[in-house]
Amino acid sequence: MEMRQRDEAKRSKAWVIVMLVSSAIILLIVAFLITNSVIGNPLEGEWLAEDKSYQLDIDDEEITVETTIDGQYVEVDLYYTLDKTDRIITLKSSTMSYAEAADDTDGKVAAAQIDEAISEFLGSYNYSIEDGKLTLTKREFADEFVFTRIEK
């Protein structure tokens, strides 16, 4: 009888330890998911335009727009601000990034051509992500760009 009570006490202690450890793991996972959804950038990654004319590479600090102009590959860095609460992204550029992109083409594409091609992206957009598709809707004119996430 005494042996049975000791075994039951050991089992009970082991069960308490298992429950505490599993509860702690669940709490850590929940905390990670909440933190990631609040702090993480939902737009981060690579996106390809539906017509395949542009590719966006979005990281924490900038967006790299990749396209071809007059048959020449061009890569331009844009800066952005992100409001996750209202789901608004505002894209900005600098003339310096156009000049750098023009230099990378060895003079085959002028900074003015790059400015003309990229300027359609500048401004504020409402964004939504659904089923691996990023939709940017221009706030002033309701122009829409649709991109598909590129899986690595």
Side-chain angles (χ1 to χ4, degrees):
M1 185 79 160
E2 235 178 85
M3 212 155 123
R4 216 178 242 194
Q5 287 176 339
R6 274 190 265 148
D7 287 344
E8 186 64 34
K10 285 181 184 178
R11 268 186 263 148
S12 178
K13 187 176 181 179
W15 184 249
V16 168
I17 291 171
V18 166
M19 292 302 290
L20 286 173
V21 169
S22 62
S23 296
I25 290 172
I26 289 171
L27 288 175
L28 287 173
I29 291 171
V30 168
F32 171 77
L33 292 174
I34 289 173
T35 303
N36 198 25
S37 69
V38 171
I39 294 175
N41 182 349
L43 304 179
E44 195 168 311
E46 292 183 14
W47 302 88
L48 182 63
E50 276 189 330
D51 64 359
K52 298 186 181 12
S53 60
Y54 293 97
Q55 181 174 322
L56 305 179
D57 186 5
I58 303 174
D59 64 25
D60 285 336
E61 297 174 9
E62 64 187 17
I63 296 176
T64 302
V65 179
E66 301 171 18
T67 188
T68 55
I69 300 173
D70 294 337
Q72 185 68 37
Y73 173 80
V74 177
E75 202 174 275
V76 180
D77 293 329
L78 301 178
Y79 303 95
Y80 70 95
T81 56
L82 185 65
D83 180 350
K84 288 187 269 186
T85 306
D86 294 329
R87 300 177 71 91
I88 298 171
I89 183 170
T90 303
L91 304 177
K92 306 168 198 161
S93 70
S94 71
T95 53
M96 183 80 111
S97 62
Y98 296 151
E100 289 173 3
D103 287 345
D104 290 344
T105 65
D106 297 327
K108 293 176 183 167
V109 179
Q113 289 175 289
I114 296 171
D115 180 20
E116 185 179 320
I118 300 298
S119 64
E120 70 178 309
F121 281 112
L122 304 180
S124 292
Y125 296 88
N126 290 328
Y127 72 86
S128 66
I129 301 173
E130 242 179 75
D131 298 329
K133 291 201 180 289
L134 167 65
T135 304
L136 300 177
T137 306
K138 195 114 179 180
R139 295 177 56 93
E140 296 86 25
F141 308 110
D143 292 340
E144 199 170 84
F145 297 101
V146 179
F147 297 87
T148 304
R149 184 180 294 273
I150 300 172
E151 298 298 328
K152 291 183 180 183

